[in-house]
PDB file of all heavy atoms in Angstrom:
ATOM      1  N   TRP A  33     -29.174 -20.053 -33.452  1.00 93.00           N
ATOM      2  CA  TRP A  33     -28.538 -20.606 -34.644  1.00 93.00           C
ATOM      3  C   TRP A  33     -27.032 -20.713 -34.460  1.00 93.00           C
ATOM      4  O   TRP A  33     -26.368 -21.531 -35.100  1.00 93.00           O
ATOM      5  CB  TRP A  33     -28.877 -19.794 -35.891  1.00 93.00           C
ATOM      6  CG  TRP A  33     -28.286 -18.426 -35.969  1.00 93.00           C
ATOM      7  CD1 TRP A  33     -28.880 -17.246 -35.644  1.00 93.00           C
ATOM      8  CD2 TRP A  33     -26.963 -18.084 -36.435  1.00 93.00           C
ATOM      9  NE1 TRP A  33     -28.023 -16.196 -35.866  1.00 93.00           N
ATOM     10  CE2 TRP A  33     -26.844 -16.683 -36.347  1.00 93.00           C
ATOM     11  CE3 TRP A  33     -25.883 -18.824 -36.903  1.00 93.00           C
ATOM     12  CZ2 TRP A  33     -25.670 -16.004 -36.707  1.00 93.00           C
ATOM     13  CZ3 TRP A  33     -24.714 -18.160 -37.270  1.00 93.00           C
ATOM     14  CH2 TRP A  33     -24.625 -16.765 -37.169  1.00 93.00           C
ATOM     15  N   GLU A  34     -26.473 -19.898 -33.538  1.00 90.00           N
ATOM     16  CA  GLU A  34     -25.029 -19.940 -33.283  1.00 90.00           C
ATOM     17  C   GLU A  34     -24.593 -21.345 -32.870  1.00 90.00           C
ATOM     18  O   GLU A  34     -23.587 -21.877 -33.339  1.00 90.00           O
ATOM     19  CB  GLU A  34     -24.659 -18.935 -32.172  1.00 90.00           C
ATOM     20  CG  GLU A  34     -24.945 -17.479 -32.500  1.00 90.00           C
ATOM     21  CD  GLU A  34     -23.896 -16.867 -33.397  1.00 90.00           C
ATOM     22  OE1 GLU A  34     -22.842 -17.493 -33.611  1.00 90.00           O
ATOM     23  OE2 GLU A  34     -24.129 -15.749 -33.900  1.00 90.00           O
ATOM     24  N   SER A  35     -25.360 -21.972 -31.974  1.00 91.00           N
ATOM     25  CA  SER A  35     -24.982 -23.307 -31.508  1.00 91.00           C
ATOM     26  C   SER A  35     -25.473 -24.400 -32.454  1.00 91.00           C
ATOM     27  O   SER A  35     -24.905 -25.499 -32.478  1.00 91.00           O
ATOM     28  CB  SER A  35     -25.519 -23.553 -30.101  1.00 91.00           C
ATOM     29  OG  SER A  35     -26.925 -23.475 -30.066  1.00 91.00           O
ATOM     30  N   THR A  36     -26.503 -24.106 -33.248  1.00 95.00           N
ATOM     31  CA  THR A  36     -26.970 -25.094 -34.232  1.00 95.00           C
ATOM     32  C   THR A  36     -25.876 -25.380 -35.253  1.00 95.00           C
ATOM     33  O   THR A  36     -25.754 -26.509 -35.745  1.00 95.00           O
ATOM     34  CB  THR A  36     -28.249 -24.592 -34.930  1.00 95.00           C
ATOM     35  OG1 THR A  36     -29.249 -24.329 -33.943  1.00 95.00           O
ATOM     36  CG2 THR A  36     -28.781 -25.628 -35.908  1.00 95.00           C
ATOM     37  N   VAL A  37     -25.072 -24.389 -35.552  1.00 95.00           N
ATOM     38  CA  VAL A  37     -23.928 -24.588 -36.445  1.00 95.00           C
ATOM     39  C   VAL A  37     -23.019 -25.690 -35.894  1.00 95.00           C
ATOM     40  O   VAL A  37     -22.559 -26.572 -36.631  1.00 95.00           O
ATOM     41  CB  VAL A  37     -23.128 -23.269 -36.614  1.00 95.00           C
ATOM     42  CG1 VAL A  37     -21.817 -23.520 -37.356  1.00 95.00           C
ATOM     43  CG2 VAL A  37     -23.961 -22.226 -37.343  1.00 95.00           C
ATOM     44  N   THR A  38     -22.780 -25.649 -34.575  1.00 95.00           N
ATOM     45  CA  THR A  38     -21.922 -26.655 -33.942  1.00 95.00           C
ATOM     46  C   THR A  38     -22.537 -28.039 -34.059  1.00 95.00           C
ATOM     47  O   THR A  38     -21.831 -29.030 -34.327  1.00 95.00           O
ATOM     48  CB  THR A  38     -21.678 -26.304 -32.465  1.00 95.00           C
ATOM     49  OG1 THR A  38     -21.151 -24.976 -32.372  1.00 95.00           O
ATOM     50  CG2 THR A  38     -20.705 -27.285 -31.823  1.00 95.00           C
ATOM     51  N   TYR A  39     -23.841 -28.140 -33.859  1.00 96.00           N
ATOM     52  CA  TYR A  39     -24.520 -29.434 -34.014  1.00 96.00           C
ATOM     53  C   TYR A  39     -24.243 -30.024 -35.400  1.00 96.00           C
ATOM     54  O   TYR A  39     -23.883 -31.199 -35.530  1.00 96.00           O
ATOM     55  CB  TYR A  39     -26.033 -29.271 -33.846  1.00 96.00           C
ATOM     56  CG  TYR A  39     -26.536 -29.514 -32.447  1.00 96.00           C
ATOM     57  CD1 TYR A  39     -26.674 -28.465 -31.555  1.00 96.00           C
ATOM     58  CD2 TYR A  39     -26.898 -30.790 -32.028  1.00 96.00           C
ATOM     59  CE1 TYR A  39     -27.157 -28.681 -30.269  1.00 96.00           C
ATOM     60  CE2 TYR A  39     -27.384 -31.026 -30.750  1.00 96.00           C
ATOM     61  CZ  TYR A  39     -27.504 -29.958 -29.876  1.00 96.00           C
ATOM     62  OH  TYR A  39     -27.974 -30.180 -28.599  1.00 96.00           O
ATOM     63  N   TYR A  40     -24.427 -29.222 -36.424  1.00 97.00           N
ATOM     64  CA  TYR A  40     -24.244 -29.714 -37.799  1.00 97.00           C
ATOM     65  C   TYR A  40     -22.814 -30.180 -38.016  1.00 97.00           C
ATOM     66  O   TYR A  40     -22.575 -31.231 -38.637  1.00 97.00           O
ATOM     67  CB  TYR A  40     -24.624 -28.613 -38.791  1.00 97.00           C
ATOM     68  CG  TYR A  40     -24.661 -29.081 -40.228  1.00 97.00           C
ATOM     69  CD1 TYR A  40     -25.677 -29.920 -40.682  1.00 97.00           C
ATOM     70  CD2 TYR A  40     -23.680 -28.703 -41.132  1.00 97.00           C
ATOM     71  CE1 TYR A  40     -25.713 -30.371 -41.998  1.00 97.00           C
ATOM     72  CE2 TYR A  40     -23.695 -29.136 -42.447  1.00 97.00           C
ATOM     73  CZ  TYR A  40     -24.721 -29.974 -42.878  1.00 97.00           C
ATOM     74  OH  TYR A  40     -24.740 -30.416 -44.182  1.00 97.00           O
ATOM     75  N   GLN A  41     -21.856 -29.425 -37.486  1.00 96.00           N
ATOM     76  CA  GLN A  41     -20.454 -29.805 -37.629  1.00 96.00           C
ATOM     77  C   GLN A  41     -20.154 -31.110 -36.901  1.00 96.00           C
ATOM     78  O   GLN A  41     -19.492 -32.000 -37.450  1.00 96.00           O
ATOM     79  CB  GLN A  41     -19.555 -28.683 -37.083  1.00 96.00           C
ATOM     80  CG  GLN A  41     -19.556 -27.423 -37.926  1.00 96.00           C
ATOM     81  CD  GLN A  41     -18.782 -26.290 -37.273  1.00 96.00           C
ATOM     82  OE1 GLN A  41     -18.735 -26.189 -36.039  1.00 96.00           O
ATOM     83  NE2 GLN A  41     -18.169 -25.441 -38.081  1.00 96.00           N
ATOM     84  N   VAL A  42     -20.633 -31.223 -35.656  1.00 97.00           N
ATOM     85  CA  VAL A  42     -20.350 -32.411 -34.853  1.00 97.00           C
ATOM     86  C   VAL A  42     -20.954 -33.649 -35.486  1.00 97.00           C
ATOM     87  O   VAL A  42     -20.288 -34.691 -35.628  1.00 97.00           O
ATOM     88  CB  VAL A  42     -20.872 -32.232 -33.410  1.00 97.00           C
ATOM     89  CG1 VAL A  42     -20.798 -33.545 -32.641  1.00 97.00           C
ATOM     90  CG2 VAL A  42     -20.087 -31.153 -32.682  1.00 97.00           C
ATOM     91  N   VAL A  43     -22.226 -33.584 -35.862  1.00 98.00           N
ATOM     92  CA  VAL A  43     -22.903 -34.733 -36.459  1.00 98.00           C
ATOM     93  C   VAL A  43     -22.148 -35.221 -37.690  1.00 98.00           C
ATOM     94  O   VAL A  43     -21.897 -36.430 -37.850  1.00 98.00           O
ATOM     95  CB  VAL A  43     -24.362 -34.369 -36.810  1.00 98.00           C
ATOM     96  CG1 VAL A  43     -24.978 -35.427 -37.713  1.00 98.00           C
ATOM     97  CG2 VAL A  43     -25.204 -34.217 -35.538  1.00 98.00           C
ATOM     98  N   ASN A  44     -21.761 -34.314 -38.545  1.00 97.00           N
ATOM     99  CA  ASN A  44     -21.079 -34.725 -39.772  1.00 97.00           C
ATOM    100  C   ASN A  44     -19.658 -35.206 -39.521  1.00 97.00           C
ATOM    101  O   ASN A  44     -19.188 -36.150 -40.176  1.00 97.00           O
ATOM    102  CB  ASN A  44     -21.094 -33.576 -40.782  1.00 97.00           C
ATOM    103  CG  ASN A  44     -22.409 -33.484 -41.522  1.00 97.00           C
ATOM    104  OD1 ASN A  44     -22.722 -34.312 -42.363  1.00 97.00           O
ATOM    105  ND2 ASN A  44     -23.213 -32.492 -41.172  1.00 97.00           N
ATOM    106  N   ASN A  45     -18.961 -34.603 -38.571  1.00 97.00           N
ATOM    107  CA  ASN A  45     -17.607 -35.064 -38.250  1.00 97.00           C
ATOM    108  C   ASN A  45     -17.619 -36.470 -37.673  1.00 97.00           C
ATOM    109  O   ASN A  45     -16.746 -37.289 -37.985  1.00 97.00           O
ATOM    110  CB  ASN A  45     -16.927 -34.099 -37.273  1.00 97.00           C
ATOM    111  CG  ASN A  45     -16.346 -32.879 -37.961  1.00 97.00           C
ATOM    112  OD1 ASN A  45     -15.906 -32.964 -39.118  1.00 97.00           O
ATOM    113  ND2 ASN A  45     -16.326 -31.749 -37.272  1.00 97.00           N
ATOM    114  N   VAL A  46     -18.607 -36.762 -36.829  1.00 97.00           N
ATOM    115  CA  VAL A  46     -18.698 -38.102 -36.241  1.00 97.00           C
ATOM    116  C   VAL A  46     -18.996 -39.135 -37.322  1.00 97.00           C
ATOM    117  O   VAL A  46     -18.386 -40.221 -37.359  1.00 97.00           O
ATOM    118  CB  VAL A  46     -19.760 -38.154 -35.125  1.00 97.00           C
ATOM    119  CG1 VAL A  46     -20.014 -39.593 -34.666  1.00 97.00           C
ATOM    120  CG2 VAL A  46     -19.323 -37.305 -33.937  1.00 97.00           C
ATOM    121  N   ILE A  47     -19.917 -38.822 -38.208  1.00 97.00           N
ATOM    122  CA  ILE A  47     -20.233 -39.747 -39.310  1.00 97.00           C
ATOM    123  C   ILE A  47     -18.993 -39.982 -40.175  1.00 97.00           C
ATOM    124  O   ILE A  47     -18.681 -41.121 -40.559  1.00 97.00           O
ATOM    125  CB  ILE A  47     -21.394 -39.208 -40.169  1.00 97.00           C
ATOM    126  CG1 ILE A  47     -22.698 -39.191 -39.365  1.00 97.00           C
ATOM    127  CG2 ILE A  47     -21.546 -40.032 -41.440  1.00 97.00           C
ATOM    128  CD1 ILE A  47     -23.197 -40.554 -38.926  1.00 97.00           C
ATOM    129  N   LYS A  48     -18.271 -38.929 -40.470  1.00 96.00           N
ATOM    130  CA  LYS A  48     -17.042 -39.059 -41.273  1.00 96.00           C
ATOM    131  C   LYS A  48     -16.025 -39.945 -40.566  1.00 96.00           C
ATOM    132  O   LYS A  48     -15.414 -40.824 -41.179  1.00 96.00           O
ATOM    133  CB  LYS A  48     -16.445 -37.679 -41.538  1.00 96.00           C
ATOM    134  CG  LYS A  48     -15.158 -37.704 -42.371  1.00 96.00           C
ATOM    135  CD  LYS A  48     -14.627 -36.306 -42.619  1.00 96.00           C
ATOM    136  CE  LYS A  48     -14.123 -35.658 -41.338  1.00 96.00           C
ATOM    137  NZ  LYS A  48     -13.487 -34.335 -41.588  1.00 96.00           N
ATOM    138  N   ASP A  49     -15.860 -39.723 -39.238  1.00 96.00           N
ATOM    139  CA  ASP A  49     -14.895 -40.521 -38.482  1.00 96.00           C
ATOM    140  C   ASP A  49     -15.307 -41.987 -38.398  1.00 96.00           C
ATOM    141  O   ASP A  49     -14.456 -42.888 -38.453  1.00 96.00           O
ATOM    142  CB  ASP A  49     -14.742 -39.950 -37.070  1.00 96.00           C
ATOM    143  CG  ASP A  49     -14.061 -38.596 -37.054  1.00 96.00           C
ATOM    144  OD1 ASP A  49     -13.401 -38.250 -38.062  1.00 96.00           O
ATOM    145  OD2 ASP A  49     -14.170 -37.894 -36.036  1.00 96.00           O
ATOM    146  N   GLN A  50     -16.601 -42.228 -38.269  1.00 96.00           N
ATOM    147  CA  GLN A  50     -17.086 -43.596 -38.108  1.00 96.00           C
ATOM    148  C   GLN A  50     -17.116 -44.383 -39.423  1.00 96.00           C
ATOM    149  O   GLN A  50     -16.782 -45.559 -39.460  1.00 96.00           O
ATOM    150  CB  GLN A  50     -18.495 -43.579 -37.499  1.00 96.00           C
ATOM    151  CG  GLN A  50     -18.539 -43.137 -36.042  1.00 96.00           C
ATOM    152  CD  GLN A  50     -17.887 -44.127 -35.098  1.00 96.00           C
ATOM    153  OE1 GLN A  50     -18.059 -45.337 -35.236  1.00 96.00           O
ATOM    154  NE2 GLN A  50     -17.144 -43.624 -34.125  1.00 96.00           N
ATOM    155  N   LEU A  51     -17.520 -43.725 -40.488  1.00 96.00           N
ATOM    156  CA  LEU A  51     -17.752 -44.433 -41.749  1.00 96.00           C
ATOM    157  C   LEU A  51     -16.676 -44.176 -42.806  1.00 96.00           C
ATOM    158  O   LEU A  51     -16.547 -44.943 -43.756  1.00 96.00           O
ATOM    159  CB  LEU A  51     -19.122 -44.053 -42.316  1.00 96.00           C
ATOM    160  CG  LEU A  51     -20.329 -44.357 -41.415  1.00 96.00           C
ATOM    161  CD1 LEU A  51     -21.622 -43.983 -42.134  1.00 96.00           C
ATOM    162  CD2 LEU A  51     -20.355 -45.815 -40.970  1.00 96.00           C
ATOM    163  N   GLY A  52     -15.915 -43.089 -42.640  1.00 92.00           N
ATOM    164  CA  GLY A  52     -14.815 -42.810 -43.549  1.00 92.00           C
ATOM    165  C   GLY A  52     -15.269 -42.369 -44.932  1.00 92.00           C
ATOM    166  O   GLY A  52     -16.430 -42.046 -45.177  1.00 92.00           O
ATOM    167  N   GLU A  53     -14.307 -42.365 -45.837  1.00 91.00           N
ATOM    168  CA  GLU A  53     -14.523 -41.977 -47.225  1.00 91.00           C
ATOM    169  C   GLU A  53     -15.267 -40.638 -47.303  1.00 91.00           C
ATOM    170  O   GLU A  53     -14.897 -39.686 -46.642  1.00 91.00           O
ATOM    171  CB  GLU A  53     -15.257 -43.102 -47.963  1.00 91.00           C
ATOM    172  CG  GLU A  53     -14.464 -44.409 -48.004  1.00 91.00           C
ATOM    173  CD  GLU A  53     -15.183 -45.532 -48.705  1.00 91.00           C
ATOM    174  OE1 GLU A  53     -16.423 -45.500 -48.822  1.00 91.00           O
ATOM    175  OE2 GLU A  53     -14.483 -46.461 -49.161  1.00 91.00           O
ATOM    176  N   LEU A  54     -16.316 -40.563 -48.119  1.00 95.00           N
ATOM    177  CA  LEU A  54     -17.030 -39.295 -48.309  1.00 95.00           C
ATOM    178  C   LEU A  54     -18.364 -39.268 -47.567  1.00 95.00           C
ATOM    179  O   LEU A  54     -19.257 -38.482 -47.898  1.00 95.00           O
ATOM    180  CB  LEU A  54     -17.245 -39.044 -49.804  1.00 95.00           C
ATOM    181  CG  LEU A  54     -15.979 -38.869 -50.640  1.00 95.00           C
ATOM    182  CD1 LEU A  54     -16.331 -38.699 -52.113  1.00 95.00           C
ATOM    183  CD2 LEU A  54     -15.159 -37.680 -50.143  1.00 95.00           C
ATOM    184  N   HIS A  55     -18.496 -40.109 -46.540  1.00 97.00           N
ATOM    185  CA  HIS A  55     -19.767 -40.177 -45.826  1.00 97.00           C
ATOM    186  C   HIS A  55     -20.046 -38.891 -45.051  1.00 97.00           C
ATOM    187  O   HIS A  55     -19.145 -38.261 -44.478  1.00 97.00           O
ATOM    188  CB  HIS A  55     -19.758 -41.359 -44.849  1.00 97.00           C
ATOM    189  CG  HIS A  55     -19.918 -42.677 -45.512  1.00 97.00           C
ATOM    190  ND1 HIS A  55     -21.106 -43.099 -46.063  1.00 97.00           N
ATOM    191  CD2 HIS A  55     -19.012 -43.674 -45.726  1.00 97.00           C
ATOM    192  CE1 HIS A  55     -20.946 -44.305 -46.571  1.00 97.00           C
ATOM    193  NE2 HIS A  55     -19.691 -44.677 -46.398  1.00 97.00           N
ATOM    194  N   SER A  56     -21.325 -38.528 -45.028  1.00 97.00           N
ATOM    195  CA  SER A  56     -21.810 -37.424 -44.199  1.00 97.00           C
ATOM    196  C   SER A  56     -23.188 -37.794 -43.679  1.00 97.00           C
ATOM    197  O   SER A  56     -23.789 -38.772 -44.112  1.00 97.00           O
ATOM    198  CB  SER A  56     -21.854 -36.113 -44.994  1.00 97.00           C
ATOM    199  OG  SER A  56     -22.618 -36.272 -46.185  1.00 97.00           O
ATOM    200  N   ALA A  57     -23.676 -37.017 -42.727  1.00 97.00           N
ATOM    201  CA  ALA A  57     -24.941 -37.354 -42.064  1.00 97.00           C
ATOM    202  C   ALA A  57     -26.141 -37.084 -42.961  1.00 97.00           C
ATOM    203  O   ALA A  57     -26.154 -36.117 -43.728  1.00 97.00           O
ATOM    204  CB  ALA A  57     -25.075 -36.542 -40.776  1.00 97.00           C
ATOM    205  N   LYS A  58     -27.145 -37.945 -42.834  1.00 98.00           N
ATOM    206  CA  LYS A  58     -28.438 -37.669 -43.440  1.00 98.00           C
ATOM    207  C   LYS A  58     -29.259 -36.934 -42.393  1.00 98.00           C
ATOM    208  O   LYS A  58     -29.592 -37.488 -41.347  1.00 98.00           O
ATOM    209  CB  LYS A  58     -29.139 -38.963 -43.845  1.00 98.00           C
ATOM    210  CG  LYS A  58     -28.472 -39.704 -44.995  1.00 98.00           C
ATOM    211  CD  LYS A  58     -29.249 -40.959 -45.360  1.00 98.00           C
ATOM    212  CE  LYS A  58     -28.599 -41.685 -46.526  1.00 98.00           C
ATOM    213  NZ  LYS A  58     -29.359 -42.923 -46.870  1.00 98.00           N
ATOM    214  N   CYS A  59     -29.579 -35.678 -42.641  1.00 97.00           N
ATOM    215  CA  CYS A  59     -30.313 -34.913 -41.640  1.00 97.00           C
ATOM    216  C   CYS A  59     -31.177 -33.837 -42.286  1.00 97.00           C
ATOM    217  O   CYS A  59     -30.901 -33.367 -43.394  1.00 97.00           O
ATOM    218  CB  CYS A  59     -29.375 -34.284 -40.623  1.00 97.00           C
ATOM    219  SG  CYS A  59     -28.146 -33.146 -41.284  1.00 97.00           S
ATOM    220  N   LEU A  60     -32.219 -33.485 -41.556  1.00 98.00           N
ATOM    221  CA  LEU A  60     -33.106 -32.383 -41.906  1.00 98.00           C
ATOM    222  C   LEU A  60     -33.041 -31.371 -40.778  1.00 98.00           C
ATOM    223  O   LEU A  60     -32.998 -31.741 -39.607  1.00 98.00           O
ATOM    224  CB  LEU A  60     -34.548 -32.870 -42.057  1.00 98.00           C
ATOM    225  CG  LEU A  60     -34.833 -33.923 -43.115  1.00 98.00           C
ATOM    226  CD1 LEU A  60     -36.242 -34.481 -42.934  1.00 98.00           C
ATOM    227  CD2 LEU A  60     -34.674 -33.331 -44.510  1.00 98.00           C
TER     228      LEU A  60
END
Side-chain angles (χ1 to χ4, degrees):
W33 69 263
E34 298 281 349
S35 61
T36 302
V37 171
T38 305
Y39 267 93
Y40 188 72
Q41 290 173 329
V42 170
V43 167
N44 279 288
N45 279 328
V46 171
I47 293 296
K48 180 179 68 175
D49 291 342
Q50 290 292 318
L51 301 183
E53 298 179 338
L54 297 177
H55 285 288
S56 54
K58 292 182 179 179
C59 60
L60 300 169

